[in-house]
Amino acid sequence: PIEKVSIEIGEQYSSLVIEKMNYRSASFVDCVNLEDKRQKLTFTCPTRSLLGLRSELMNETKGTAIIISEFFEYQPHKGPLKKSQRGALVSATDGVATPYGIKELEKHGVMFIKPGQKVYDGMIIGEHETEDDVDLNPTKEKKLTNIRTTTREEQVLLAPIREFSIEEAITYIRDDEIIEVTPENIRLRKVELNGAQRKVLRRQIKNARK
């Protein structure tokens, strides 16, 4: 099934929306200029491509997008949807994430977890800035010294984390990843939780790419 999707946004977001829709195997149909420097972009795209689109565009356009979709027609299958080309930051241990541990990992990419959150071996805790997966320890504590500081405790400033709805998680995960849903959390994890086995699988994937 193919949907006809109309997206009304500020003109400054038009190139961003077109890029996002192309990534979802959409075909551009029309662009109409509206009042107040807004535009109405029209696309056709597979119904399955719309998973997570609404929340993604609302975030990217600061809540100003208006999205309307309706059934258009049936077309031949357009193939698998594109997945994230970024690798995963994977917890290499069980425990509780610490502010210091997370701060040390922020240089590798965008984090998905907060301090105090329980993690386990194989749980995806962030998005790597490259296409490779890497195992890391978010539970690391800062080594204590005998030197007193002038403040009661050292404040650790952390970047905002990325959170997922179920729809967003479904469109985000790759073939070797699955979603865990509980009443309180939506977590991403590797199918293979054992760290040694994950390394073997990574080597096999890299060799297959050559």
Side-chain angles (χ1 to χ4, degrees):
I2 300 296
E3 301 269 337
K4 183 177 181 180
V5 184
S6 298
I7 305 173
E8 183 180 322
I9 37 85
E11 61 183 17
Q12 69 271 31
Y13 298 116
S14 60
S15 59
L16 172 67
V17 171
I18 292 173
E19 179 183 348
K20 296 287 186 183
M21 295 302 290
N22 286 339
Y23 189 78
R24 292 172 178 267
S25 301
S27 299
F28 178 76
V29 176
D30 190 23
C31 174
V32 177
N33 292 319
L34 306 175
E35 296 179 352
D36 299 324
K37 295 184 178 180
R38 291 180 66 83
Q39 293 180 329
K40 181 180 179 181
L41 306 178
T42 304
F43 304 85
T44 58
C45 72
T47 300
R48 59 200 170 97
S49 298
L50 299 181
L51 277 173
L53 173 66
R54 188 174 301 275
S55 57
E56 181 179 6
L57 290 186
M58 292 302 282
N59 288 334
E60 294 287 356
T61 64
K62 298 179 174 59
T64 61
I66 299 174
I67 305 167
I68 300 174
S69 64
E70 59 182 349
F71 174 76
F72 182 59
E73 64 181 5
Y74 286 100
Q75 292 182 7
H77 191 268
K78 292 182 176 292
L81 298 178
K82 296 178 181 178
K83 294 291 184 178
S84 172
Q85 298 301 309
R86 299 290 182 89
L89 303 180
V90 185
S91 176
T93 187
D94 300 342
V96 177
T98 64
Y100 177 76
I102 293 175
K103 186 65 177 179
E104 287 290 296
L105 306 187
E106 285 185 343
K107 60 187 176 185
H108 296 287
V110 179
M111 302 304 298
F112 299 164
I113 59 171
K114 300 176 181 178
Q117 188 171 337
K118 292 183 178 179
V119 297
Y120 55 84
D121 189 7
M123 177 177 167
I124 299 173
I125 58 175
E127 179 181 273
H128 199 197
E129 58 187 8
T130 73
E131 64 180 10
D132 296 321
D133 293 344
V134 58
D135 292 341
L136 299 166
N137 179 11
T139 68
K140 187 181 297 184
E141 297 278 1
K142 186 174 183 179
K143 292 182 179 180
L144 299 178
T145 68
N146 293 327
I147 303 174
R148 290 181 176 270
T149 60
T150 55
T151 56
R152 292 183 178 180
E153 59 179 322
E154 185 177 350
Q155 297 295 321
V156 178
L157 298 178
L158 301 175
I161 67 170
R162 178 173 180 181
E163 297 183 280
F164 292 89
S165 66
I166 294 179
E167 285 188 351
E168 290 170 330
I170 290 172
T171 59
Y172 181 84
I173 59 172
R174 295 177 295 173
D175 294 339
D176 65 337
E177 300 166 356
I178 59 176
I179 306 167
E180 286 186 346
V181 181
T182 72
E184 297 181 353
N185 297 293
I186 297 174
R187 292 189 289 259
L188 310 183
R189 50 157 280 196
K190 290 294 183 180
V191 173
E192 178 55 65
L193 294 179
N194 182 273
Q197 290 297 321
R198 287 200 303 273
K199 291 180 181 179
V200 173
L201 291 175
R202 286 173 195 159
R203 285 197 295 268
Q204 292 175 348
I205 292 173
K206 284 186 177 181
N207 292 334
R209 290 173 179 171
K210 294 180 180 179

